[in-house]
């Protein structure tokens, strides 16, 4: 499990958002409190977030953007191509990160072990506080009429109060 971040993606109807806390840790030390670990990719409606090493994640973001372009915006195909290359390339296979990506139709988690996972409920969560944020998001999605952005904000705040590697400096991107 990657320590030092919590990324959460939520969809409700045709709306979807992704958010992350801002904490970066090096071992047991907080190195930065205001990092932005989520973003909109290119000019598209694809949202992406990462957990793990920042340099590795930036490499994977760049690789994913290229594959997304090669695959004419097909998120699933691009994710599979990145996972295949990530797993088989001698240099890439040593990258330590996880990616979470969303578009109008899909929510995917991508790992260097070749995993491309689409959760049944459309909620993505990665990082050390991911399980806490996931539980909160599921409860809020099922029992409120909150928009995805509000669910993310409240869920990440809950995770920040439980996980020592998550803070309440939250960045959210939405479509």
């Amino acid at each position: 499990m990657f320590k030092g971040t919590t990324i959460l993606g939520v969809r409700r109807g045709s709306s979807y958002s992704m958010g992350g806390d801002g904490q970066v840790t090096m071992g047991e030390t907080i190195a930065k409190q205001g990092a932005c670990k989520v973003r909109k990719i290119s000019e598209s409606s694809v949202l992406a977030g990462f957990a793990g090493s920042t340099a590795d994640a930036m490499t994977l973001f760049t690789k994913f953007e290229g594959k997304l372009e090669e695959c004419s915006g097909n998120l699933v195909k691009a994710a599979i191509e990145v996972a295949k290359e990530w797993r088989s390339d001698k240099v890439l296979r040593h990258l330590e990160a996880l990616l979470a990506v969303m578009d109008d139709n899909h929510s995917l988690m991508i790992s260097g072990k070749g995993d491309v996972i689409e959760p049944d409920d459309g909620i993505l969560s990665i990082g050390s506080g991911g399980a806490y944020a996931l539980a909160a998001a599921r409860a809020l999605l099922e029992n409120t009429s909150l928009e995805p952005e509000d669910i993310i904000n409240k869920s990440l705040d809950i995770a920040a109060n439980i996980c020592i590697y998550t803070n309440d400096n939250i960045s959210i991107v939405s479509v």
Side-chain angles (χ1 to χ4, degrees):
M1 180 183 348
F2 293 104
K3 295 180 180 174
T5 198
T6 303
I7 302 296
L8 180 66
V10 175
R11 66 174 62 246
R12 173 169 263 154
S14 61
S15 299
Y16 56 100
S17 299
M18 185 176 290
D21 77 309
Q23 185 162 295
V24 175
T25 56
M26 295 183 76
E28 303 298 316
T29 304
I30 297 170
K32 183 174 176 133
Q33 294 187 17
C36 185
K37 304 169 201 168
V38 294
R39 67 170 150 161
K40 208 179 233 191
I41 292 189
S42 304
E43 298 295 320
S44 70
S45 59
V46 174
L47 306 180
F50 74 88
S53 166
T54 304
D56 291 355
M58 293 303 122
T59 299
L60 292 168
F61 271 153
T62 301
K63 184 71 64 183
F64 183 77
E65 281 181 295
K67 291 294 184 189
L68 194 60
E69 194 172 302
E70 282 177 30
C71 297
S72 303
N74 184 325
L75 187 80
V76 174
K77 187 172 181 181
I80 290 168
E81 291 301 315
V82 165
K84 284 183 353 188
E85 187 173 343
W86 189 355
R87 183 174 184 188
S88 62
D89 185 273
K90 287 181 182 182
V91 174
L92 292 180
R93 80 170 64 134
H94 297 289
L95 298 181
E96 295 184 9
L98 288 172
L99 290 180
V101 296
M102 302 175 84
D103 71 1
D104 293 334
N105 301 305
H106 301 281
S107 302
L108 304 171
M109 292 179 283
I110 310 166
S111 82
K113 295 185 189 234
D115 300 317
V116 177
I117 300 168
E118 184 162 22
D120 293 333
D121 58 9
I123 301 173
L124 295 173
S125 65
I126 58 175
S128 56
Y132 307 117
L134 175 63
R138 282 184 176 160
L140 290 167
L141 192 61
E142 187 175 315
N143 295 294
T144 72
S145 58
L146 292 172
E147 291 297 316
E149 193 169 308
D150 297 322
I151 291 172
I152 289 170
N153 198 34
K154 289 182 180 302
S155 298
L156 288 176
D157 189 49
I158 289 168
N161 286 301
I162 299 170
C163 177
I164 63 170
Y165 295 105
T166 302
N167 72 9
D168 60 1
N169 189 339
I170 298 167
S171 300
I172 300 175
V173 289
S174 299
V175 175

